[in-house]
Amino acid sequence: CYSTAGVSDAGEPGMQSAVERLFSSILVALSGPQYLHCAFGLLDGNSTFSMLQAVIDDAHYKMLRMFLQDVDINDNSIEQATGQIRQTVDTQQKLFINFIRPLMRRGKLSRPYPFEGKEGKDQVIELAYRELQNMLNKPESHLSDEVVSQIMKNVPGILPVLDSRK
């Protein structure tokens, strides 16, 4: 099964692209395809690439990977979960927040969102743009000529025009 995820009809990074991309990414990934094509950085029906959207997508896909991790179920985890249920049922509020809050703080429930604004202010685009500038200001690194030579020699079908040594 080959599936595409993270698609959006939005023409620029923003709320529409985030919602469309996240919903399609989560649902498609959780459906269990064997091969998952991510529309990484693509907007406007996959016809436009945006570096800013790619930075935002990177944060989203790192969070999504947590949903796809294997669940660690063993006798100890089952005993711990049933103990938490018993404790919670015995409280007036019947909320699991006392057990969830420490997991959230350690990043075990989900990764902290790197573009979260201060005091509830929406700063996603601003903070993602700042991260993009940091990435673009890093020195470039390239594969050594030796590595490129090995790739060109051992991987059939690579077009000679892609040889960076020329």
Side-chain angles (χ1 to χ4, degrees):
C1 175
Y2 176 88
S3 298
T4 300
V7 294
S8 174
D9 289 333
E12 59 188 39
M15 188 65 72
Q16 178 187 346
S17 69
V19 170
E20 289 177 355
R21 299 169 80 75
L22 280 173
F23 271 105
S24 75
S25 294
I26 291 168
L27 293 173
V28 171
L30 291 177
S31 71
Q34 292 166 311
Y35 300 101
L36 179 60
H37 170 250
C38 300
F40 195 80
L42 297 175
L43 292 165
D44 197 19
N46 293 348
S47 64
T48 306
F49 177 76
S50 165
M51 286 194 292
L52 182 59
Q53 186 63 56
V55 170
I56 295 169
D57 287 346
D58 183 56
H60 292 172
Y61 282 112
K62 285 177 180 171
M63 295 171 79
L64 178 63
R65 275 194 293 229
M66 293 196 73
F67 294 140
L68 303 176
Q69 291 177 353
D70 289 336
V71 180
D72 185 20
I73 299 176
N74 55 48
D75 290 339
N76 185 38
S77 65
I78 292 171
E79 186 177 319
Q80 184 180 9
T82 54
Q84 290 175 358
I85 292 168
R86 280 190 206 96
Q87 282 183 285
T88 302
V89 169
D90 289 340
T91 66
Q92 190 175 16
Q93 297 87 5
K94 313 276 190 264
L95 299 174
F96 285 91
I97 195 68
N98 291 336
F99 301 107
I100 294 172
R101 200 174 273 137
L103 293 173
M104 289 173 55
R105 288 186 183 127
R106 291 196 313 263
K108 297 284 186 180
L109 193 59
S110 70
R111 295 175 59 91
Y113 193 57
F115 308 126
E116 185 175 331
K118 300 212 184 292
E119 300 168 7
K121 186 177 175 190
D122 182 359
Q123 295 179 287
V124 172
I125 300 298
E126 176 186 335
L127 296 173
Y129 183 76
R130 194 176 304 160
E131 177 62 20
L132 173 60
Q133 293 307 310
N134 289 338
M135 294 167 78
L136 292 173
N137 289 330
K138 289 182 179 178
E140 292 181 20
S141 62
H142 299 279
L143 297 175
S144 70
D145 285 348
E146 182 181 325
V147 171
V148 171
S149 179
Q150 287 295 318
I151 291 171
M152 295 304 290
K153 178 181 169 191
N154 294 315
V155 180
I158 296 181
L159 298 173
V161 71
L162 297 176
D163 190 341
S164 63
R165 299 171 297 167
K166 295 179 181 177

